[in-house]
Amino acid sequence: MDIRTLLRDNIRSLAPYSTARDEYEGELGIYLDANESPYENGYNRYPDPHQKALKRRIAEIKGIAPEKIFVGNGSDEPIDLVFRLFCEPGRHNAVSIVPTYGMYKVAAAINDVEMREVPLGADFSLDADRLLAAADSNTRLLFLCSPNNPTGNCFPTATIERIIRTFHGIVVLDEAYIDFAETDGFLGRLDEFPNLVVLQTLSKAWGMAGLRLGLAFACEEIARTMGRVKYPYNINVVTQRIVLEELRHGIVGQVDEIRRERRRMALALAPAPTVRRIYPSDANFLLVEVSDPQTIYERLIEAGVIVRDRSRVPLCEGCLRITVGTPEENDRLIEIFKNLQA
Ligand code: PMP
């Protein structure tokens, strides 16, 4: 598949903005080229627009060449960018599953792109044929999220693989929660699929939601083109610096604890009077079906615990989405549930 033919014409021929840092790349000297303030305070200079040090470190951690990495202001930036790269507003369309992460549909609407939503099965299973059948010759993007938010499940590798191989456009596979799953995801197989964009984020297992750093991994053509279309200085100096420091520490201990707590919470909540069902989860949250979601949501708030009411989401009727917290926070939640009467 020639990815260039999928790019919008105006993007293929785009002359990107050239920053002062693009025109002189040395490290030493007196910088009088970018109309910055000369008074050093740690952030008076513009950041590296290409985030080279950061990408080198992420490349080491993930085992992916820096040229195949795009870093964005959260995952929302690459989600928006794929529409701007590949979809002619008012003409092209995209396909996604439902329920899933809400931002794909919002980004589609902002870009005036029709989103065709294909429901999962009642057991949250993925029907590849139905999904592929929703696409036509104007479909440029297909969104998958595995583990999926809010259902919490991973989709089978073979099904995802078949979709990537069969679909004639770009498959965006959101792996925001992959660190909590048993499977490795698709990053190690990126080179097999030129039409695959894998999204990951530092907001979940890495604990940096406040710094806003989303990752997209794709073939060089796509990663480079995203870099040409983004705002020149999309990742600020402070975020680049702190993320680099934070990436020195591993996350294995915390991820293990979240997984253990996920299991413990599921076992402890299951017998509670108001709990009807707890779905298996590969993520850092549990989808819990309860007897009366609105009332329970409010009772939890009264007790000082805020969860997400997903009961109006298709296929999630009656469900609350509960993030796994610290052991103490989870103890508190379990205690409240034990005392709630159906
Ligand atoms: N993808 C999924 C599936 C998510 O659930 C979320 C956040 N809830 C995101 C992406 C957003 O991540 P970020 O903080 O990197 O924008």
Side-chain angles (χ1 to χ4, degrees), residues 64 155-162 164 173 175 178 183-191 193 196 198 200:
I64 300 287
F155 300 116
T157 302
T159 311
I160 297 176
E161 182 173 342
R162 189 155 77 79
I164 303 169
L173 176 61
E175 295 186 346
I178 196 70
T183 151
D184 285 340
F186 272 72
L187 213 47
R189 303 183 56 192
L190 198 62
D191 290 344
F193 311 108
L196 175 63
V198 175
Q200 293 191 1

Side-chain angles (χ1 to χ4, degrees), residues 130-141:
R130 270 189 83 186
L131 200 64
L132 291 163
D136 64 16
S137 59
N138 279 328
T139 308
R140 288 293 172 94
L141 301 173

Side-chain angles (χ1 to χ4, degrees), residues 72-79 100-104 144-150 174-177 199-204 208-210 212-215 284-285 308 321:
N73 186 342
S75 303
D76 299 333
E77 185 175 5
I79 290 170
T100 194
Y101 179 46
M103 201 53 206
Y104 316 138
L144 286 174
C145 182
S146 181
N148 188 33
N149 177 10
D174 189 342
E175 295 186 346
Y177 300 99
L199 302 181
Q200 293 191 1
T201 177
L202 300 188
S203 298
K204 310 294 175 185
M208 295 184 238
R212 310 304 303 131
L213 203 103
L215 308 169
N284 65 338
F285 56 82
R308 197 88 193 260
R321 195 194 67 191

Side-chain angles (χ1 to χ4, degrees), residues 260-273:
R260 274 198 308 276
E261 285 294 301
R262 179 177 72 196
R263 206 172 311 124
R264 183 174 77 88
M265 279 167 82
L267 289 172
L269 291 175

Side-chain angles (χ1 to χ4, degrees), residues 17 25 82 178 189 198 202 212 245 268 274 292 294 296 298 305 317 329:
Y17 179 72
E25 288 197 35
V82 287
I178 196 70
R189 303 183 56 192
V198 175
L202 300 188
R212 310 304 303 131
E245 282 167 25
T274 55
D292 180 354
Q294 274 93 23
I296 293 171
E298 277 158 29
V305 177
E317 291 80 13
E329 290 172 337

Side-chain angles (χ1 to χ4, degrees), residues 51-70:
Q51 305 104 8
K52 287 195 217 63
L54 199 52
K55 284 184 186 167
R56 268 199 303 275
R57 184 73 190 104
I58 293 166
E60 274 171 24
I61 294 171
K62 299 286 179 181
I64 300 287
E67 297 75 25
K68 295 175 183 167
I69 301 175
F70 170 84

Side-chain angles (χ1 to χ4, degrees), residues 1 9 68 71 180 294 336:
M1 184 184 296
D9 294 341
K68 295 175 183 167
V71 297
F180 304 107
Q294 274 93 23
I336 299 167

